[in-house]
Amino acid sequence: MANRFSDTLFQLIHSLEKSEKRHFKLYIKRSSAKEDLKIIQLFDALDKMSEYDEKLLLKKLPGTEKPQLSNLKTHLYKQVLASLRLLKRTENIDFELNEQLEYARILYYKGLYLQSLKILDRVKEQAHQYYQDSILMQVISLEKKIETLHITRSIQHKADLLAAESTGVHERRWMITQLSNLALQLYSWYVKNGHVRNEDDEKDVRVFFRSTLPRNAHKQVGFYERLYLCQSYCWYAFIRQDFLMYYRYTQKWVDLFETHSWMIQVETGHYIKGLHNLLNAHFDLRNYQKFEETLQHFESFSQKPLVQHHDNFRVQTFIYLQQAKINQHFMLGTFKEGLALVPHLEEKISEFRLFLDMHRIMVFNYKIATLYFGSGDFATSIDYLQRIINDHVDLRTDLQCYARLMHLLAHYELGNFELMESLTKSVYRFMAKMKNLTVVEEEMFRFLRASFHLSRHKLKPALEAFLQSIKHLEKNRYETRSFAYLDVISWVESKVHQKPMSEIIRQKYLSSKRSKPAIPAALPKRA
């Protein structure tokens, strides 16, 4: 699998839909007098390969030497992109506006600058409507050039207008850049580290956020300024496990798109990400009813042509919907029922591997391992956890730590006590090295070390004491980090009450359903 997608041309061809392949063949035949072009032969050979093999490829192209192959591949790559550009030019506002901008430039270079200005006026109007400031800057730049080099009878009126527009766009772009940088840097921190581990992490993130957030950011009214402000607060809250704030800003994120509904087609990826984060917020707060409503809305949206006809959006919705469905089983305690998702999930992960990064695959492996752990199939849970432990990637040190911890507990459940002592020391050292030990983990390791030497009749009192030592930490923000990755309390309760962990969680869900409102009282229904 490591070499399967190592060639960029191979990746591009295998990402094409049938309609895109058919369009490419027609495009090449229209632009060439020859039916048997070498690039068509190369295209077909690569398309039929299950993995890239240059030696086999040269055998399928008789008369082509290795030095020629490199040039041929470069030419084919450009032609495929040119074909896609023609096919996709009406699917995105960026493509449409850039195409019109190119026409305006062509007319200008032909000396027809008045015609060019008419097109630029239309482009400017659409750019304003869809908040496309990058296009707007190019339009204004070309307008300035025309007004500077030619007499258009509007120079006095137009000069001041263009100057004001240019300054306004520049100021907006500065604010958008600052807010998008902040959102990206916070997200990057989370991908690398997960949630804050202690007060030092909390302080670092808080100082960074407050020092980087632009002044007057809350007074901005533009779509992108508000979008990136919501994202910045969203990641800031999520990293700090302030789940009420996280919910508030994910809801604002989604509401922004619902208010500016035409922007869903322009920034579909951001809308999908917003729905994903809103589902996560409902999951973290155990808003069961709202979770179900948002999931149904997301599933309905995922079937729209806007999503289904776009590779990136189709894969993105698949990832987030599957994660949400697994999370729902975690909330309801229906671990065994959740296992029905795994075969389809495995099949799709293999199909979409070209589009999936290591972080996504790691998250899926952890969630699947948790499903098996919660359903009592500890051996299979270990198999999935080993995938994370053996990957050695510099991502999500939090997941790597808790994968090892769940791996340790799975061996405990299987009664592999001959491994437990050395494994406990190994996991403890790893988590200490990663500065990932909280009071909950310290108590857990203390219990595990003691349990090796306890007789059966002394084990239950030890479990009860362990439960008492961590139960009061449920409300501690720095300690809830542990519970977010593995429901340790429910696991211990299952041992104390001698019931399956899934049954313990199910009882909690049924109890919450009777007593807890769908949205916390501290928050308005629509933030």
Side-chain angles (χ1 to χ4, degrees):
M1 187 63 73
N3 296 323
R4 183 176 176 188
F5 299 120
S6 59
D7 184 82
T8 54
L9 177 60
F10 180 86
Q11 289 177 359
L12 177 60
I13 290 173
H14 279 260
S15 73
L16 299 177
E17 300 291 323
K18 286 184 179 179
S19 60
E20 293 168 342
K21 293 175 184 178
R22 184 169 59 251
H23 181 269
F24 170 73
K25 297 282 185 72
L26 292 172
Y27 168 77
I28 290 298
K29 288 176 181 178
R30 281 198 305 267
S31 60
S32 174
K34 297 180 180 179
E35 291 286 328
D36 57 341
L37 290 169
K38 281 191 173 183
I39 61 168
I40 290 288
Q41 295 173 5
L42 175 59
F43 181 93
D44 289 337
L46 286 168
D47 189 29
K48 291 174 184 176
M49 283 183 164
S50 58
E51 58 183 78
Y52 185 72
D53 185 334
E54 192 162 286
K55 290 181 181 179
L56 179 61
L57 184 60
L58 286 167
K59 288 180 182 178
K60 292 188 175 187
L61 299 170
T64 302
E65 299 297 327
K66 189 171 182 178
Q68 294 175 298
L69 180 62
S70 179
N71 292 333
L72 200 60
K73 285 169 65 179
T74 300
H75 181 49
L76 175 56
Y77 192 88
K78 290 178 180 178
Q79 291 297 325
V80 172
L81 289 179
S83 168
L84 286 172
R85 185 174 181 274
L86 282 175
L87 185 64
K88 305 289 186 182
R89 68 182 186 273
T90 60
E91 290 187 7
N92 189 287
I93 191 66
D94 287 350
F95 292 168
E96 288 185 44
L97 294 181
N98 274 303
E99 185 177 51
Q100 292 298 313
L101 191 55
E102 286 177 12
Y103 292 157
R105 287 195 180 103
I106 289 169
L107 289 170
Y108 167 68
Y109 291 129
K110 289 290 293 179
L112 304 172
Y113 50 84
L114 293 178
Q115 291 184 38
S116 177
L117 287 171
K118 284 184 179 180
I119 291 179
L120 290 175
D121 281 339
R122 291 198 296 269
V123 174
K124 185 186 287 187
E125 184 179 347
Q126 283 187 291
H128 276 298
Q129 180 184 353
Y130 292 104
Y131 305 97
Q132 299 300 300
D133 283 341
S134 58
I135 297 290
L136 203 53
M137 290 174 73
Q138 295 179 66
V139 170
I140 293 171
S141 178
L142 184 52
E143 282 185 305
K144 283 181 176 180
K145 181 184 286 187
I146 292 172
E147 296 294 349
T148 301
L149 298 177
H150 305 278
I151 298 173
T152 64
R153 299 180 182 178
S154 62
I155 184 64
Q156 292 180 351
H157 164 72
K158 204 69 177 282
D160 292 339
L161 181 62
L162 287 174
E165 283 183 329
S166 182
T167 300
V169 172
H170 174 74
E171 289 174 353
R172 283 199 306 274
R173 289 306 304 170
W174 181 89
M175 180 61 72
I176 290 169
T177 299
Q178 297 304 306
L179 289 171
S180 61
N181 285 349
L182 176 57
L184 179 63
Q185 287 173 291
L186 287 168
Y187 182 58
S188 175
W189 195 99
Y190 172 71
V191 169
K192 183 170 177 58
N193 303 296
H195 299 293
V196 293
R197 296 164 294 186
N198 46 48
E199 290 186 9
D200 287 339
D201 278 356
E202 165 90 16
K203 181 180 178 182
D204 288 345
V205 171
R206 185 172 62 249
V207 168
F208 171 75
F209 181 80
R210 291 178 177 176
S211 63
T212 311
L213 183 69
R215 295 178 65 182
N216 301 322
H218 290 274
K219 296 180 181 178
Q220 303 302 309
V221 295
F223 175 84
Y224 284 103
E225 296 94 310
R226 292 164 66 193
L227 173 63
Y228 290 123
L229 180 66
C230 287
Q231 289 183 1
S232 297
Y233 270 99
C234 167
W235 294 123
Y236 176 60
F238 190 60
I239 288 169
R240 296 167 51 250
Q241 294 188 99
D242 184 345
F243 294 134
L244 288 176
M245 179 187 279
Y246 178 52
Y247 163 74
R248 185 180 294 116
Y249 280 95
T250 54
Q251 187 67 70
K252 285 183 177 182
W253 179 343
V254 173
D255 287 348
L256 179 64
F257 276 98
E258 292 175 357
T259 304
H260 301 75
S261 56
W262 63 93
M263 291 301 292
I264 293 175
Q265 189 164 355
V266 179
E267 291 293 357
T268 313
H270 280 296
Y271 180 61
I272 291 170
K273 188 82 169 182
L275 288 172
H276 163 63
N277 279 284
L278 183 56
L279 279 167
N280 279 345
H282 288 317
F283 171 69
D284 290 325
L285 293 171
R286 295 302 187 262
N287 295 332
Y288 302 102
Q289 183 182 340
K290 285 294 181 181
F291 184 98
E292 179 64 30
E293 290 173 6
T294 306
L295 181 59
Q296 289 178 5
H297 170 69
F298 197 3
E299 286 195 278
S300 175
F301 177 74
S302 73
Q303 297 305 312
K304 291 187 175 183
L306 174 63
V307 174
Q308 289 300 313
H309 295 165
H310 193 297
D311 294 328
N312 192 32
F313 302 150
R314 191 169 64 252
V315 174
Q316 204 176 3
T317 53
F318 160 76
I319 290 169
Y320 296 146
L321 281 172
Q322 293 302 310
Q323 288 184 10
K325 288 176 181 179
I326 293 174
N327 283 346
Q328 190 171 40
H329 287 293
F330 291 167
M331 286 196 300
L332 305 183
T334 51
F335 291 90
K336 286 185 178 178
E337 292 84 343
L339 293 177
L341 297 170
V342 175
H344 174 68
L345 183 54
E346 289 276 28
E347 179 186 336
K348 286 295 185 180
I349 287 174
S350 179
E351 179 185 338
F352 294 148
R353 189 168 287 269
L354 172 61
F355 307 101
L356 297 178
D357 56 68
M358 288 302 300
H359 176 234
R360 298 295 173 205
I361 294 173
M362 182 189 295
V363 170
F364 273 130
N365 283 331
Y366 189 83
K367 288 187 178 293
I368 294 172
T370 307
L371 279 177
Y372 279 108
F373 187 93
S375 65
D377 187 347
F378 303 109
T380 308
S381 178
I382 287 171
D383 291 339
Y384 281 92
L385 293 168
Q386 290 281 17
R387 297 182 184 183
I388 300 172
I389 294 167
N390 295 332
D391 265 346
H392 303 296
V393 293
D394 187 25
L395 284 172
R396 293 297 299 275
T397 55
D398 56 334
L399 270 189
Q400 293 181 49
C401 286
Y402 288 102
R404 285 164 171 79
L405 188 57
M406 194 191 300
H407 178 260
L408 176 64
L409 294 181
H411 279 292
Y412 178 87
E413 289 280 12
L414 290 171
N416 296 330
F417 298 116
E418 69 280 2
L419 297 174
M420 288 299 296
E421 191 165 354
S422 61
L423 198 57
T424 301
K425 290 178 180 177
S426 173
V427 176
Y428 185 88
R429 281 196 303 267
F430 184 86
M431 294 186 75
K433 180 181 177 182
M434 296 298 173
K435 298 180 180 179
N436 219 92
L437 284 170
T438 65
V439 175
V440 174
E441 280 92 42
E442 292 281 9
E443 290 293 333
M444 180 177 292
F445 283 115
R446 188 175 292 112
F447 162 75
L448 289 172
R449 291 189 197 101
S451 69
F452 303 151
H453 312 291
L454 293 175
S455 60
R456 182 168 296 183
H457 73 277
K458 289 184 178 180
L459 184 59
K460 187 174 180 180
L463 280 163
E464 290 172 343
F466 174 35
L467 181 60
Q468 285 301 114
S469 69
I470 63 173
K471 185 77 174 173
H472 71 283
L473 296 171
E474 273 189 294
K475 304 299 182 182
N476 185 310
R477 188 148 54 87
Y478 299 121
E479 299 303 328
T480 54
R481 185 176 198 264
S482 309
F483 307 133
Y485 295 95
L486 178 62
D487 193 345
V488 177
I489 290 177
S490 294
W491 177 76
V492 181
E493 287 174 339
S494 75
K495 310 304 290 179
V496 170
H497 301 296
Q498 297 182 338
K499 293 180 179 180
M501 182 177 167
S502 57
E503 188 178 328
I504 297 291
I505 295 173
R506 182 71 180 170
Q507 288 173 352
K508 290 179 181 179
Y509 158 65
L510 293 173
S511 176
S512 288
K513 194 176 179 183
R514 288 190 294 268
S515 61
K516 184 180 177 182
I519 293 293
L523 291 175
K525 192 172 183 180
R526 298 289 278 181

